[in-house]
Amino acid sequence: MTASDNKAEQALGDRTHKVVEAFNKLDTDAKLVWFYLVYKKMGSSITPAAPAAAEPELSPKLLSDYYELSDEQQLNIMREIVNRQDTEYSRIYGALKENNQLLVWYAWAIGMDEKKIIGMPENYKASEPINNLVSQTEGLDFEEQMSIFRTIVGEMGYTDVKPIETQAQTGKTSSL
């Protein structure tokens, strides 16, 4: 079982698993479009879900230094994170807890709206699979949406930390 398999189990039910699976089938840029559209439509309810749990000071490279980079560098960093590449920014992102990862995507969506970071091309039209996935996400209740967001953001970025095997996986009881 991989770390992403373990995190995918956090999704609540069949409907949320299907959304996560559909998201994982999208290509890199389509995933970025989904994030932008979801945060544009639902961002105000996503980040405040756990405001005390997010710690923006833990990620100055992603939440301040990032804004100083060129559009091309910003887009490449987003792609590296989505693709789980072993790069500086992807490692920084991968080391964050899910609430902070949610905050990063929310801040980036706001930055796109404010033209502080690279945004969607003016004439961009989302594909049918992206629009369907956004609609499916909107159709879920808040708890299901949060489960999806936490699962997806938690699977991104690079980390070489391996999950601790469960008793069911090892067949051994803890020594405590």
Side-chain angles (χ1 to χ4, degrees):
M1 175 178 276
T2 66
S4 62
D5 291 337
N6 218 9
K7 290 198 180 220
E9 291 175 11
Q10 293 176 16
L12 295 174
D14 289 340
R15 292 186 337 161
T16 55
H17 279 292
K18 287 178 183 173
V19 172
V20 171
E21 287 173 10
F23 174 84
N24 286 333
K25 289 178 184 174
L26 296 175
D27 67 37
T28 302
D29 288 340
K31 289 176 181 178
L32 293 174
V33 170
W34 179 84
F35 264 112
Y36 177 76
L37 294 174
V38 164
Y39 273 95
K40 185 128 175 98
K41 292 181 177 198
M42 295 178 269
S44 61
S45 64
I46 297 168
T47 301
E55 302 163 289
E57 68 278 0
L58 293 180
S59 187
K61 276 193 132 353
L62 294 171
L63 296 175
S64 60
D65 296 357
Y66 178 83
Y67 294 89
E68 305 303 320
L69 301 172
S70 71
D71 286 355
E72 187 175 323
Q73 289 171 309
Q74 291 172 349
L75 181 58
N76 285 336
I77 288 168
M78 288 181 188
R79 288 174 173 157
E80 292 166 0
I81 289 170
V82 167
N83 291 325
R84 302 177 190 122
Q85 293 175 331
D86 185 359
T87 64
E88 177 187 12
Y89 280 90
S90 189
R91 279 182 173 269
I92 291 167
Y93 176 90
L96 296 173
K97 291 183 180 180
E98 289 157 348
N99 286 334
N100 289 320
Q101 291 170 335
L102 287 168
L103 178 65
V104 166
W105 289 105
Y106 179 68
W108 287 353
I110 290 171
M112 287 178 194
D113 279 346
E114 296 174 350
K115 311 276 189 241
K116 291 181 180 178
I117 64 173
I118 189 169
M120 301 278 291
E122 292 290 326
N123 57 353
Y124 182 84
K125 296 279 186 209
S127 68
E128 187 174 331
I130 295 168
N131 287 328
N132 288 341
L133 193 54
V134 170
S135 293
Q136 288 175 40
T137 305
E138 288 178 305
L140 299 171
D141 67 37
F142 180 74
E143 191 173 289
E144 290 172 316
Q145 289 172 351
M146 288 308 299
S147 175
I148 289 167
F149 301 143
R150 288 183 194 289
T151 300
I152 289 172
V153 301
E155 291 177 346
M156 293 183 178
Y158 181 86
T159 182
D160 50 11
V161 175
K162 305 293 183 236
I164 297 171
E165 291 183 323
T166 65
Q167 180 180 350
Q169 292 168 312
T170 65
K172 299 176 185 176
T173 59
S174 66
S175 60
L176 298 176

